[in-house]
Amino acid sequence: MQTPEPLGATRPTSKDVARAAGVSQATVSLVLGEKWRGRVSERTAGTVREAARELGYRPNLAARNLRLGRTRTALLVVPALTNEFFAHVYTGAAAVAADHGFGVVLYPSPDGVGPARDPFASAQTALDGVLASSMATAALEAFRGGELPLVMLDSDPADTGAAAHVNLDVARGMRLVTAHLLALGHRRFLHLASAAPSWTFDVRAAALGEALRGAEVRTVRSPLTVAAAREAAGAALAAPGPRPTAVVCDDDILAAGVCKAARRLGLRVPEDLSVTGFDDMALATAVEPELTTVRLPAEEFGRRGMEALLAVLAGEPARSDVLPAELVPRGSTGPAPAP
Amino acid sequence: MQTPEPLGATRPTSKDVARAAGVSQATVSLVLGEKWRGRVSERTAGTVREAARELGYRPNLAARNLRLGRTRTALLVVPALTNEFFAHVYTGAAAVAADHGFGVVLYPSPDGVGPARDPFASAQTALDGVLASSMATAALEAFRGGELPLVMLDSDPADTGAAAHVNLDVARGMRLVTAHLLALGHRRFLHLASAAPSWTFDVRAAALGEALRGAEVRTVRSPLTVAAAREAAGAALAAPGPRPTAVVCDDDILAAGVCKAARRLGLRVPEDLSVTGFDDMALATAVEPELTTVRLPAEEFGRRGMEALLAVLAGEPARSDVLPAELVPRGSTGPAPAP
DNA sequence: CCGCCGAGGTTTTACGTATAACTTCCGAGG
DNA sequence: CCTCGGAAGTTATACGTAAAACCTCGGCGG
């Protein structure tokens, strides 16, 4: 006797439907596969569909996609989904995938706590391709030189190993921010950078350094939480010496922390201190004053990434892409205070 | 650098490994399945493993899990992931699932925009069970009376059809909030409720009504965005008649909107107006003043939900559960202003 | 009348893995 | 000498679906 097999009741198969409809299994497959024109009579097709409905039949997609390389499933590798940005990326990627009959499974890697096991096993399914963010640093190693087609999001285009790269023009975003602040008369800056190592943050730092050549710039790193940013910014703003008049942040979350630190020090934003964010997530307009920030088209980013991956899978020439970033001036920046 | 063949990127199979190792396919399966003790010699096992490594073999999990009801994959049905709360739920659920060798695929249903197609097809895989939030109203219909084991998150326990229910004690959360505000002397309230229909919001409204029996309560509904909440609250606060001194919100997002509306009307929080949130997401401590709110253990919620589902799948008695809610007093509430 | 054709199916096979059932070899106990 | 039994495999089959290859049966042009 076998194990009691308490796992879900065994569902009806195409064979069961065939028996109920009085036809062969192949006919059921033809009818339900929507490719029966001229192969099965309208009457029989109706009977089959009725029987399928009656039994509550649903095809076993695992069986359907048995052949390797045709599972129509992509893996999305991102840092923790609790970062709103990546929730948007997922939304975009999943939408495009769905339009092409593809599914998306997630491989979220909360920094350090990521699944220590085989990433493919943890995805619990066979995969056709991988769409990975360069911010998921730890997890990424597992896919380097992997045998699966790989499209990278926001990673160094010079990096080989990926079939295509879709990037955000964060360098331009940073240039827009610095130009905005320079025009407002700011000359002493604090750059509150992300402590997480990632190409996209390296690019931001480089662009900022380039644009502010000659100005006074101090850099402090912080994890991507409001509390951590508040501590880091608080310490930096209270340090001896002339105080910066503008803080450029790598993320809206960091900017929100800076605003809190400023308030705690009795500094008004933007009268005493200008603050800029990055990403333009919901948080940017939830705080007061609303954050001047750089809008990144997160959902479009996910869409374009998935489109590139699907193109690669279809054997089309891989189309790498760079999406524009845009300055959104709001209330957290203003003229530099008189010296 | 061999560019993998586009679509027919056929990966090595256990048969290929067998050929390379000079054994039969069954032996490969035995060795790699870790169930070869006493069946295969140490030497042969080594050869097989070496060959598998050499070819980069990975078992096709779709094929392995062909038999229905043993796919070790669960579906998580939630509203848009861009709501931080559900990102946490996913994190908890996925962690528990991974510990049991289960995968989690998402079925996010952005209200109304959800996948119009067959939800199972869109999940692109065979499923063993479903873990669904009652907030994913539209998508939920598809699973009602479905043949899959279903565990509901935050839905009416009287609702049959689910094998188990895991709930948050939002009624108690609401009672804690109202008691807090009553103790501060508030007597005129505005309840900013979620416009999305869901059992959890009904419970909150009922608990609030009960606790504030005798007090003056007005209710306004708003979608779960800061901008919408600001508009709704702004209109309600500017309405003629005595102004409420406290606003109870169904969500931190709504509370953030209320704070913005208050500022626009020249009202100080909490001196002129007390505001409370719900959920205690990152937003609650990102705004100024920080929100008095009800902490919901979102990640634990996801964990317990998945544990309940796995228990059901294992044939164990379904254990429904209610998780506690906790008041977190912060700066957005204070004594009622003198009349 | 024959051969051909197309409609409307059926039979058969392939997919990749797991596993039940079977074989073979070899040393030991009777 | 014969049998038994375990180690170390192999062969065969099942899983559910898709699809290729194959039938069967009228109708029709020649």
Side-chain angles (χ1 to χ4, degrees), chain A residues 113-298:
Chain A
V113 199
R117 299 136 51 98
D118 173 18
F120 298 100
S122 104
Q124 282 297 331
T125 188
L127 303 169
D128 282 353
V130 179
L131 181 60
S133 160
S134 73
M135 283 187 63
T137 325
L140 215 55
E141 293 310 312
F143 301 98
R144 276 276 134 71
E147 60 273 34
L148 252 51
L150 173 68
V151 170
M152 291 296 306
L153 295 175
D154 245 336
S155 86
D156 191 345
D159 189 6
T160 70
H165 294 263
V166 176
N167 287 342
L168 294 165
D169 197 349
V170 293
R172 178 172 148 80
M174 205 45 116
R175 284 195 298 272
L176 291 171
V177 163
T178 51
H180 171 68
L181 291 171
L182 286 170
L184 287 168
H186 294 274
R187 293 297 178 268
R188 286 196 307 279
F189 298 88
L190 173 65
H191 178 205
L192 190 56
S194 164
S198 168
W199 184 75
T200 181
F201 296 127
D202 295 344
V203 169
R204 296 176 202 198
L208 180 132
E210 182 85 14
L212 296 185
R213 177 169 315 224
E216 190 178 321
V217 181
R218 193 177 156 203
T219 298
V220 169
R221 301 186 166 275
S222 164
L224 282 183
T225 71
V226 173
R230 186 175 44 117
E231 294 311 314
L237 291 174
R243 191 170 30 232
T245 63
V247 184
V248 177
C249 300
D250 272 358
D251 192 294
D252 291 338
I253 295 173
L254 299 176
V258 171
C259 290
K260 293 180 74 84
R263 185 163 323 227
R264 198 144 310 196
L265 292 169
L267 299 171
R268 293 163 304 163
V269 175
E271 291 83 356
D272 303 319
L273 188 73
S274 285
V275 179
T276 66
F278 221 102
D279 284 8
D280 194 26
M281 293 293 105
L283 179 61
T285 52
V287 298
E288 198 77 39
E290 301 190 346
L291 297 174
T292 293
T293 189
V294 173
R295 175 170 300 157
L296 299 181

Side-chain angles (χ1 to χ4, degrees), chain B residues 222-246:
Chain B
S222 164
L224 282 183
T225 73
V226 172
R230 184 174 45 109
E231 294 311 314
L237 291 174
R243 188 172 31 234
T245 64

Side-chain angles (χ1 to χ4, degrees), chain B residues 13 18-21 32 42 56 63 85 102 114 129 149 164 201 211 215 238-239 246 250 269 297-298 324-325:
Chain B
T13 73
R19 195 175 315 120
L32 272 47
E42 188 62 56
F85 181 80
F102 269 69
F201 296 127
D250 273 358
V269 175

Side-chain angles (χ1 to χ4, degrees), chain A residues 14 29 57 59-60 64:
Chain A
S14 60
S29 189
Y57 168 76
N60 180 336
R64 161 141 66 205

Side-chain angles (χ1 to χ4, degrees), chain B residues 23-24 26-27 38-41 44 66-68:
Chain B
V23 298
S24 73
T27 304
R39 311 266 295 125
V40 179
S41 73
T44 309
L66 232 189
R67 350 176 73 88
L68 287 171

Side-chain angles (χ1 to χ4, degrees), chain B residues 20-320:
Chain B
V23 298
S24 73
Q25 177 266 327
T27 304
V28 173
S29 189
L30 285 173
V31 170
L32 272 47
E34 296 297 325
K35 269 305 165 199
W36 54 282
R37 285 149 243 269
R39 311 266 295 125
V40 179
S41 73
E42 188 62 56
R43 224 175 67 82
T44 309
T47 312
V48 169
R49 270 194 292 258
E50 177 60 22
R53 222 181 41 74
E54 200 82 3
L55 278 80
Y57 168 76
R58 287 185 298 102
N60 180 336
L61 288 107
R64 161 140 69 205
N65 297 326
L66 232 189
R67 350 176 73 88
L68 287 171
R70 302 176 126 264
T71 64
R72 301 194 84 77
T73 302
L75 181 66
L76 179 62
V77 181
V78 293
L81 270 181
T82 45
N83 185 330
E84 188 191 347
F85 181 80
F86 289 106
H88 284 294
V89 170
Y90 169 81
T91 304
V96 167
D99 283 348
H100 291 75
F102 269 69
V104 176
V105 318
L106 276 168
Y107 182 69
S109 70
D111 277 321
V113 199
R117 300 137 50 99
D118 174 17
F120 297 100
S122 102
Q124 282 298 329
T125 188
L127 303 169
D128 283 352
V130 179
L131 182 60
S133 160
S134 73
M135 283 187 62
T137 325
L140 216 54
E141 293 310 312
F143 300 97
R144 275 277 134 72
E147 59 275 32
L148 250 53
L150 173 67
V151 170
M152 290 295 305
L153 294 175
D154 245 335
S155 85
D156 191 344
D159 189 4
T160 69
H165 293 263
V166 175
N167 287 342
L168 294 165
D169 197 349
V170 292
R172 178 174 149 77
M174 206 43 117
R175 285 194 298 272
L176 291 172
V177 163
T178 51
H180 172 69
L181 291 171
L182 286 171
L184 286 169
H186 294 275
R187 294 297 179 267
R188 287 196 308 280
F189 298 87
L190 173 64
H191 178 205
L192 190 57
S194 164
S198 166
W199 184 74
T200 182
F201 296 127
D202 295 344
V203 169
R204 296 176 201 198
L208 180 132
E210 182 85 12
L212 295 186
R213 177 168 317 223
E216 192 178 319
V217 181
R218 193 178 156 202
T219 299
V220 169
R221 301 187 167 278
S222 164
L224 282 183
T225 73
V226 172
R230 184 174 45 109
E231 294 311 314
L237 291 174
R243 188 172 31 234
T245 64
V247 184
V248 177
C249 301
D250 273 358
D251 193 294
D252 290 339
I253 294 173
L254 299 176
V258 172
C259 290
K260 292 180 74 87
R263 186 165 321 229
R264 198 145 308 197
L265 291 169
L267 298 171
R268 292 162 305 163
V269 175
E271 292 82 356
D272 303 320
L273 188 72
S274 285
V275 179
T276 68
F278 222 102
D279 286 6
D280 194 26
M281 293 292 105
L283 179 59
T285 53
V287 299
E288 200 77 38
E290 301 191 346
L291 297 175
T292 293
T293 188
V294 173
R295 175 171 300 156
L296 299 182
E299 203 170 318
E300 177 73 9
F301 192 39
R303 277 198 294 268
R304 295 288 261 278
M306 187 54 71
E307 279 167 9
L309 179 57
L310 293 177
V312 169
L313 292 180
E316 297 166 20
R319 28 161 207 241
S320 292

